[in-house]
PDB file of all heavy atoms in Angstrom:
ATOM      1  N   GLY A  14      30.812   0.582 179.430  1.00  0.00           N
ATOM      2  CA  GLY A  14      29.791  -0.244 178.977  1.00  0.00           C
ATOM      3  C   GLY A  14      29.134   0.138 177.584  1.00  0.00           C
ATOM      4  O   GLY A  14      29.341   1.264 177.171  1.00  0.00           O
ATOM      5  N   LEU A  15      28.274  -0.734 177.064  1.00  0.00           N
ATOM      6  CA  LEU A  15      27.652  -0.553 175.796  1.00  0.00           C
ATOM      7  C   LEU A  15      28.611  -0.046 174.730  1.00  0.00           C
ATOM      8  O   LEU A  15      28.306   0.993 174.147  1.00  0.00           O
ATOM      9  CB  LEU A  15      26.439   0.427 176.138  1.00  0.00           C
ATOM     10  CG  LEU A  15      25.190  -0.095 176.582  1.00  0.00           C
ATOM     11  CD1 LEU A  15      24.221   0.863 177.117  1.00  0.00           C
ATOM     12  CD2 LEU A  15      24.478  -0.897 175.470  1.00  0.00           C
ATOM     13  N   ASN A  16      29.556  -0.671 174.447  1.00  0.00           N
ATOM     14  CA  ASN A  16      30.591  -0.409 173.312  1.00  0.00           C
ATOM     15  C   ASN A  16      30.713  -1.659 172.545  1.00  0.00           C
ATOM     16  O   ASN A  16      29.767  -2.620 172.572  1.00  0.00           O
ATOM     17  CB  ASN A  16      31.897   0.228 173.893  1.00  0.00           C
ATOM     18  CG  ASN A  16      31.626   1.727 174.211  1.00  0.00           C
ATOM     19  OD1 ASN A  16      31.649   2.529 173.286  1.00  0.00           O
ATOM     20  ND2 ASN A  16      31.737   2.058 175.447  1.00  0.00           N
ATOM     21  N   CYS A  17      31.810  -1.712 171.746  1.00  0.00           N
ATOM     22  CA  CYS A  17      32.043  -2.918 170.937  1.00  0.00           C
ATOM     23  C   CYS A  17      33.499  -3.581 171.388  1.00  0.00           C
ATOM     24  O   CYS A  17      34.245  -4.080 170.565  1.00  0.00           O
ATOM     25  CB  CYS A  17      32.270  -2.480 169.495  1.00  0.00           C
ATOM     26  SG  CYS A  17      30.808  -1.572 168.939  1.00  0.00           S
ATOM     27  N   LEU A  18      33.742  -3.703 172.676  1.00  0.00           N
ATOM     28  CA  LEU A  18      35.054  -4.124 173.143  1.00  0.00           C
ATOM     29  C   LEU A  18      34.977  -5.729 173.069  1.00  0.00           C
ATOM     30  O   LEU A  18      34.080  -6.320 173.610  1.00  0.00           O
ATOM     31  CB  LEU A  18      35.245  -3.783 174.610  1.00  0.00           C
ATOM     32  CG  LEU A  18      35.239  -2.236 174.744  1.00  0.00           C
ATOM     33  CD1 LEU A  18      35.431  -1.942 176.245  1.00  0.00           C
ATOM     34  CD2 LEU A  18      36.109  -1.350 173.930  1.00  0.00           C
ATOM     35  N   ASP A  19      35.957  -6.377 172.458  1.00  0.00           N
ATOM     36  CA  ASP A  19      36.122  -7.776 172.509  1.00  0.00           C
ATOM     37  C   ASP A  19      37.068  -8.218 173.556  1.00  0.00           C
ATOM     38  O   ASP A  19      37.264  -9.401 173.859  1.00  0.00           O
ATOM     39  CB  ASP A  19      36.447  -8.329 171.123  1.00  0.00           C
ATOM     40  CG  ASP A  19      37.694  -7.733 170.509  1.00  0.00           C
ATOM     41  OD1 ASP A  19      38.518  -7.233 171.293  1.00  0.00           O
ATOM     42  OD2 ASP A  19      37.947  -7.895 169.356  1.00  0.00           O
ATOM     43  N   SER A  20      37.820  -7.319 174.112  1.00  0.00           N
ATOM     44  CA  SER A  20      38.772  -7.579 175.260  1.00  0.00           C
ATOM     45  C   SER A  20      39.088  -6.242 176.004  1.00  0.00           C
ATOM     46  O   SER A  20      38.849  -5.166 175.563  1.00  0.00           O
ATOM     47  CB  SER A  20      40.082  -8.173 174.686  1.00  0.00           C
ATOM     48  OG  SER A  20      40.724  -7.260 173.892  1.00  0.00           O
ATOM     49  N   ILE A  21      39.556  -6.474 177.188  1.00  0.00           N
ATOM     50  CA  ILE A  21      39.967  -5.227 178.079  1.00  0.00           C
ATOM     51  C   ILE A  21      41.457  -5.233 178.022  1.00  0.00           C
ATOM     52  O   ILE A  21      42.193  -6.231 178.270  1.00  0.00           O
ATOM     53  CB  ILE A  21      39.488  -5.494 179.474  1.00  0.00           C
ATOM     54  CG1 ILE A  21      37.878  -5.574 179.568  1.00  0.00           C
ATOM     55  CG2 ILE A  21      39.948  -4.294 180.359  1.00  0.00           C
ATOM     56  CD1 ILE A  21      37.410  -5.852 180.966  1.00  0.00           C
ATOM     57  N   PRO A  22      42.082  -4.146 177.630  1.00  0.00           N
ATOM     58  CA  PRO A  22      43.492  -3.940 177.698  1.00  0.00           C
ATOM     59  C   PRO A  22      43.994  -4.300 179.005  1.00  0.00           C
ATOM     60  O   PRO A  22      43.577  -3.616 180.039  1.00  0.00           O
ATOM     61  CB  PRO A  22      43.614  -2.486 177.361  1.00  0.00           C
ATOM     62  CG  PRO A  22      42.498  -2.012 176.644  1.00  0.00           C
ATOM     63  CD  PRO A  22      41.389  -2.849 177.212  1.00  0.00           C
ATOM     64  N   THR A  23      45.027  -5.197 179.102  1.00  0.00           N
ATOM     65  CA  THR A  23      45.606  -5.599 180.355  1.00  0.00           C
ATOM     66  C   THR A  23      46.373  -4.266 180.974  1.00  0.00           C
ATOM     67  O   THR A  23      46.516  -4.313 182.167  1.00  0.00           O
ATOM     68  CB  THR A  23      46.744  -6.757 180.117  1.00  0.00           C
ATOM     69  OG1 THR A  23      47.780  -6.119 179.083  1.00  0.00           O
ATOM     70  CG2 THR A  23      46.156  -7.855 179.652  1.00  0.00           C
ATOM     71  N   SER A  24      46.721  -3.324 180.183  1.00  0.00           N
ATOM     72  CA  SER A  24      47.374  -2.085 180.759  1.00  0.00           C
ATOM     73  C   SER A  24      46.495  -1.360 181.699  1.00  0.00           C
ATOM     74  O   SER A  24      46.888  -0.534 182.564  1.00  0.00           O
ATOM     75  CB  SER A  24      47.754  -1.113 179.593  1.00  0.00           C
ATOM     76  OG  SER A  24      46.547  -0.810 178.751  1.00  0.00           O
ATOM     77  N   LEU A  25      45.121  -1.568 181.606  1.00  0.00           N
ATOM     78  CA  LEU A  25      44.237  -0.949 182.594  1.00  0.00           C
ATOM     79  C   LEU A  25      44.516  -1.413 184.009  1.00  0.00           C
ATOM     80  O   LEU A  25      44.178  -0.833 185.047  1.00  0.00           O
ATOM     81  CB  LEU A  25      42.726  -1.253 182.333  1.00  0.00           C
ATOM     82  CG  LEU A  25      42.306  -0.523 180.995  1.00  0.00           C
ATOM     83  CD1 LEU A  25      40.800  -0.773 180.879  1.00  0.00           C
ATOM     84  CD2 LEU A  25      42.598   0.963 181.026  1.00  0.00           C
ATOM     85  N   GLY A  26      45.309  -2.417 184.124  1.00  0.00           N
ATOM     86  CA  GLY A  26      45.668  -2.991 185.498  1.00  0.00           C
ATOM     87  C   GLY A  26      46.704  -2.067 186.116  1.00  0.00           C
ATOM     88  O   GLY A  26      47.001  -2.252 187.339  1.00  0.00           O
ATOM     89  N   ALA A  27      47.045  -0.983 185.449  1.00  0.00           N
ATOM     90  CA  ALA A  27      47.917   0.132 186.101  1.00  0.00           C
ATOM     91  C   ALA A  27      47.100   1.111 186.795  1.00  0.00           C
ATOM     92  O   ALA A  27      47.666   1.968 187.520  1.00  0.00           O
ATOM     93  CB  ALA A  27      48.749   0.756 184.963  1.00  0.00           C
ATOM     94  N   LEU A  28      45.763   1.073 186.615  1.00  0.00           N
ATOM     95  CA  LEU A  28      44.920   2.091 187.377  1.00  0.00           C
ATOM     96  C   LEU A  28      44.669   1.605 188.799  1.00  0.00           C
ATOM     97  O   LEU A  28      43.669   1.201 189.146  1.00  0.00           O
ATOM     98  CB  LEU A  28      43.607   2.257 186.600  1.00  0.00           C
ATOM     99  CG  LEU A  28      43.716   2.649 185.154  1.00  0.00           C
ATOM    100  CD1 LEU A  28      42.372   2.649 184.490  1.00  0.00           C
ATOM    101  CD2 LEU A  28      44.433   3.993 184.999  1.00  0.00           C
ATOM    102  N   ASN A  29      45.692   1.863 189.664  1.00  0.00           N
ATOM    103  CA  ASN A  29      45.575   1.335 190.962  1.00  0.00           C
ATOM    104  C   ASN A  29      44.614   2.115 191.967  1.00  0.00           C
ATOM    105  O   ASN A  29      44.309   1.439 192.952  1.00  0.00           O
ATOM    106  CB  ASN A  29      46.997   1.395 191.735  1.00  0.00           C
ATOM    107  CG  ASN A  29      47.961   0.490 190.998  1.00  0.00           C
ATOM    108  OD1 ASN A  29      47.649  -0.649 190.581  1.00  0.00           O
ATOM    109  ND2 ASN A  29      49.170   0.677 191.036  1.00  0.00           N
ATOM    110  N   GLU A  30      44.081   3.191 191.497  1.00  0.00           N
ATOM    111  CA  GLU A  30      43.125   3.893 192.343  1.00  0.00           C
ATOM    112  C   GLU A  30      41.602   3.522 191.917  1.00  0.00           C
ATOM    113  O   GLU A  30      40.744   4.006 192.519  1.00  0.00           O
ATOM    114  CB  GLU A  30      43.298   5.473 192.173  1.00  0.00           C
ATOM    115  CG  GLU A  30      44.633   5.971 192.728  1.00  0.00           C
ATOM    116  CD  GLU A  30      44.796   5.645 194.247  1.00  0.00           C
ATOM    117  OE1 GLU A  30      43.756   5.887 194.921  1.00  0.00           O
ATOM    118  OE2 GLU A  30      45.833   5.279 194.722  1.00  0.00           O
ATOM    119  N   LEU A  31      41.574   2.753 190.804  1.00  0.00           N
ATOM    120  CA  LEU A  31      40.153   2.459 190.318  1.00  0.00           C
ATOM    121  C   LEU A  31      39.379   1.723 191.269  1.00  0.00           C
ATOM    122  O   LEU A  31      39.855   0.772 191.869  1.00  0.00           O
ATOM    123  CB  LEU A  31      40.294   1.651 188.942  1.00  0.00           C
ATOM    124  CG  LEU A  31      39.081   1.703 188.028  1.00  0.00           C
ATOM    125  CD1 LEU A  31      38.870   3.081 187.498  1.00  0.00           C
ATOM    126  CD2 LEU A  31      39.266   0.735 186.935  1.00  0.00           C
ATOM    127  N   LYS A  32      38.198   2.223 191.572  1.00  0.00           N
ATOM    128  CA  LYS A  32      37.269   1.621 192.597  1.00  0.00           C
ATOM    129  C   LYS A  32      36.024   0.940 191.857  1.00  0.00           C
ATOM    130  O   LYS A  32      35.447  -0.058 192.298  1.00  0.00           O
ATOM    131  CB  LYS A  32      36.707   2.677 193.491  1.00  0.00           C
ATOM    132  CG  LYS A  32      37.720   3.196 194.455  1.00  0.00           C
ATOM    133  CD  LYS A  32      37.194   4.211 195.433  1.00  0.00           C
ATOM    134  CE  LYS A  32      38.272   4.642 196.403  1.00  0.00           C
ATOM    135  NZ  LYS A  32      37.764   5.588 197.492  1.00  0.00           N
ATOM    136  N   GLU A  33      35.595   1.604 190.695  1.00  0.00           N
ATOM    137  CA  GLU A  33      34.476   1.074 189.956  1.00  0.00           C
ATOM    138  C   GLU A  33      34.730   1.037 188.463  1.00  0.00           C
ATOM    139  O   GLU A  33      35.254   1.953 187.790  1.00  0.00           O
ATOM    140  CB  GLU A  33      33.143   1.988 190.208  1.00  0.00           C
ATOM    141  CG  GLU A  33      32.798   2.164 191.776  1.00  0.00           C
ATOM    142  CD  GLU A  33      31.606   3.039 191.789  1.00  0.00           C
ATOM    143  OE1 GLU A  33      30.763   3.125 190.783  1.00  0.00           O
ATOM    144  OE2 GLU A  33      31.241   3.430 192.979  1.00  0.00           O
ATOM    145  N   LEU A  34      34.337  -0.196 187.901  1.00  0.00           N
ATOM    146  CA  LEU A  34      34.547  -0.391 186.420  1.00  0.00           C
ATOM    147  C   LEU A  34      33.349  -1.023 185.794  1.00  0.00           C
ATOM    148  O   LEU A  34      32.831  -2.077 186.278  1.00  0.00           O
ATOM    149  CB  LEU A  34      35.779  -1.229 186.271  1.00  0.00           C
ATOM    150  CG  LEU A  34      36.163  -1.674 184.833  1.00  0.00           C
ATOM    151  CD1 LEU A  34      36.343  -0.523 183.908  1.00  0.00           C
ATOM    152  CD2 LEU A  34      37.233  -2.725 184.663  1.00  0.00           C
ATOM    153  N   GLY A  35      32.887  -0.321 184.724  1.00  0.00           N
ATOM    154  CA  GLY A  35      31.688  -0.923 184.057  1.00  0.00           C
ATOM    155  C   GLY A  35      32.129  -1.405 182.635  1.00  0.00           C
ATOM    156  O   GLY A  35      32.705  -0.505 181.891  1.00  0.00           O
ATOM    157  N   VAL A  36      31.912  -2.631 182.421  1.00  0.00           N
ATOM    158  CA  VAL A  36      32.320  -3.225 180.981  1.00  0.00           C
ATOM    159  C   VAL A  36      31.070  -3.986 180.467  1.00  0.00           C
ATOM    160  O   VAL A  36      31.194  -4.792 179.665  1.00  0.00           O
ATOM    161  CB  VAL A  36      33.521  -3.938 181.082  1.00  0.00           C
ATOM    162  CG1 VAL A  36      34.719  -3.124 181.289  1.00  0.00           C
ATOM    163  CG2 VAL A  36      33.453  -5.072 182.099  1.00  0.00           C
ATOM    164  N   PHE A  37      29.912  -3.720 180.925  1.00  0.00           N
ATOM    165  CA  PHE A  37      28.646  -4.479 180.549  1.00  0.00           C
ATOM    166  C   PHE A  37      28.277  -4.159 179.172  1.00  0.00           C
ATOM    167  O   PHE A  37      28.667  -3.251 178.505  1.00  0.00           O
ATOM    168  CB  PHE A  37      27.496  -3.939 181.525  1.00  0.00           C
ATOM    169  CG  PHE A  37      27.294  -2.549 181.486  1.00  0.00           C
ATOM    170  CD1 PHE A  37      26.474  -1.920 180.639  1.00  0.00           C
ATOM    171  CD2 PHE A  37      27.940  -1.761 182.548  1.00  0.00           C
ATOM    172  CE1 PHE A  37      26.244  -0.573 180.664  1.00  0.00           C
ATOM    173  CE2 PHE A  37      27.863  -0.312 182.484  1.00  0.00           C
ATOM    174  CZ  PHE A  37      26.946   0.233 181.604  1.00  0.00           C
ATOM    175  N   ASP A  38      27.650  -5.155 178.542  1.00  0.00           N
ATOM    176  CA  ASP A  38      27.026  -5.046 177.217  1.00  0.00           C
ATOM    177  C   ASP A  38      28.236  -4.815 176.197  1.00  0.00           C
ATOM    178  O   ASP A  38      28.094  -3.764 175.330  1.00  0.00           O
ATOM    179  CB  ASP A  38      25.920  -3.958 177.166  1.00  0.00           C
ATOM    180  CG  ASP A  38      24.714  -4.317 177.752  1.00  0.00           C
ATOM    181  OD1 ASP A  38      23.981  -5.167 177.349  1.00  0.00           O
ATOM    182  OD2 ASP A  38      24.432  -3.729 178.886  1.00  0.00           O
ATOM    183  N   ASN A  39      29.131  -5.617 176.202  1.00  0.00           N
ATOM    184  CA  ASN A  39      30.268  -5.546 175.223  1.00  0.00           C
ATOM    185  C   ASN A  39      30.317  -6.967 174.615  1.00  0.00           C
ATOM    186  O   ASN A  39      29.402  -7.677 174.605  1.00  0.00           O
ATOM    187  CB  ASN A  39      31.515  -5.123 175.792  1.00  0.00           C
ATOM    188  CG  ASN A  39      31.601  -3.757 175.973  1.00  0.00           C
ATOM    189  OD1 ASN A  39      31.843  -2.973 174.877  1.00  0.00           O
ATOM    190  ND2 ASN A  39      31.566  -3.197 177.080  1.00  0.00           N
ATOM    191  N   ALA A  40      31.446  -7.350 174.006  1.00  0.00           N
ATOM    192  CA  ALA A  40      31.701  -8.644 173.493  1.00  0.00           C
ATOM    193  C   ALA A  40      32.810  -9.369 174.134  1.00  0.00           C
ATOM    194  O   ALA A  40      33.565 -10.104 173.553  1.00  0.00           O
ATOM    195  CB  ALA A  40      31.914  -8.555 171.905  1.00  0.00           C
ATOM    196  N   LEU A  41      33.021  -9.156 175.380  1.00  0.00           N
ATOM    197  CA  LEU A  41      34.149  -9.772 176.198  1.00  0.00           C
ATOM    198  C   LEU A  41      33.930 -11.291 176.444  1.00  0.00           C
ATOM    199  O   LEU A  41      32.909 -11.737 176.823  1.00  0.00           O
ATOM    200  CB  LEU A  41      34.240  -9.001 177.590  1.00  0.00           C
ATOM    201  CG  LEU A  41      34.320  -7.506 177.515  1.00  0.00           C
ATOM    202  CD1 LEU A  41      34.310  -6.988 178.988  1.00  0.00           C
ATOM    203  CD2 LEU A  41      35.760  -7.133 176.695  1.00  0.00           C
ATOM    204  N   THR A  42      35.012 -12.059 176.344  1.00  0.00           N
ATOM    205  CA  THR A  42      34.922 -13.408 176.700  1.00  0.00           C
ATOM    206  C   THR A  42      35.666 -13.662 177.952  1.00  0.00           C
ATOM    207  O   THR A  42      35.651 -14.844 178.478  1.00  0.00           O
ATOM    208  CB  THR A  42      35.535 -14.196 175.519  1.00  0.00           C
ATOM    209  OG1 THR A  42      36.874 -13.857 175.242  1.00  0.00           O
ATOM    210  CG2 THR A  42      34.697 -14.123 174.150  1.00  0.00           C
ATOM    211  N   THR A  43      36.437 -12.742 178.447  1.00  0.00           N
ATOM    212  CA  THR A  43      37.169 -12.863 179.703  1.00  0.00           C
ATOM    213  C   THR A  43      37.566 -11.594 180.337  1.00  0.00           C
ATOM    214  O   THR A  43      37.557 -10.515 179.580  1.00  0.00           O
ATOM    215  CB  THR A  43      38.434 -13.706 179.455  1.00  0.00           C
ATOM    216  OG1 THR A  43      39.130 -14.096 180.691  1.00  0.00           O
ATOM    217  CG2 THR A  43      39.349 -13.013 178.587  1.00  0.00           C
TER     218      THR A  43
END
């Protein structure tokens, strides 16, 4: 969260153990 991300890398879909993800306050459109 609170960075300058305009997208989330699809490669993060490999993190199969991930339970919590924060991407708030960025520039994401999807």
Side-chain angles (χ1 to χ4, degrees):
L15 275 166
N16 278 289
C17 309
L18 308 181
D19 55 18
S20 63
I21 300 175
T23 56
S24 58
L25 292 187
L28 302 178
N29 289 328
E30 295 298 319
L31 200 64
K32 294 183 177 180
E33 300 182 20
L34 175 62
V36 289
F37 52 90
D38 291 288
N39 277 288
L41 304 175
T42 55
T43 187

